[in-house]
């Protein structure tokens, strides 16, 4: 008697912007499409959620420096490439699903308490 065929299934966690931010995201998006086409009964979970606030990278750096008591100037450096262009367009954000509760300031405060 042959053993019963093994049922294979997988859950693959996606990320916000996977379909619009290259190159890492492009590879992840390709992997998702391959899994969907595999016939393995794959579930792709899209955590379409974000935090309660949206900040630019220079704003986050300024907040971090202020938290540390530093008065260093922050000079924004324009970054080139398709990935950075997609980030500037907000391809990695989900402001319409801002379900997160913790702010960056709260994260810094908690990190400071942990040492």
């Amino acid at each position: 008697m042959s053993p019963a065929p093994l049922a294979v299934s997988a859950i693959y966690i996606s990320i916000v912007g996977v379909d619009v931010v290259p190159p890492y995201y492009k590879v992840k998006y390709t992997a998702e499409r391959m899994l969907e086409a595999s016939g393995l009964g794959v579930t792709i979970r899209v955590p379409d959620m974000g935090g309660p606030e949206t900040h630019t990278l220079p704003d986050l750096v300024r907040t971090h420096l202020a938290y540390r008591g530093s008065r260093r100037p922050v000079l924004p450096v324009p970054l080139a490439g398709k990935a950075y262009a997609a980030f500037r367009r907000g391809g990695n954000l989900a402001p319409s699903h801002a379900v997160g509760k913790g702010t960056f300031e709260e994260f810094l405060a908690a990190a400071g308490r942990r040492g």
Side-chain angles (χ1 to χ4, degrees):
M1 175 177 231
S2 317
L6 180 63
V8 178
S9 64
I11 297 175
Y12 190 77
I13 305 299
S14 188
I15 53 179
V16 172
V18 72
D19 54 342
V20 296
V21 180
Y24 164 71
Y25 284 32
K26 183 177 179 181
V27 172
K28 188 163 182 55
Y29 186 65
T30 300
E32 290 177 12
R33 301 294 70 84
M34 291 171 67
L35 284 166
E36 285 179 333
S38 71
L40 293 176
V42 174
T43 299
I44 297 182
R45 303 280 316 233
V46 181
D48 205 9
M49 62 183 183
E53 303 170 329
T54 300
H55 298 285
T56 65
L57 184 56
D59 288 341
L60 293 174
V61 172
R62 284 185 194 97
T63 301
H64 178 69
L65 290 173
Y67 181 80
R68 292 181 48 211
S70 175
R71 303 182 101 184
R72 292 182 178 185
V74 175
L75 305 173
V77 177
L79 299 172
K82 292 179 181 179
Y84 294 114
F87 285 133
R88 283 192 301 275
R89 289 190 306 270
N92 61 319
L93 302 175
S96 62
H97 293 95
V99 297
K101 302 293 184 213
T103 66
F104 186 57
E105 291 82 358
E106 291 168 342
F107 166 77
L108 291 174
R113 285 193 298 271
R114 287 191 299 267

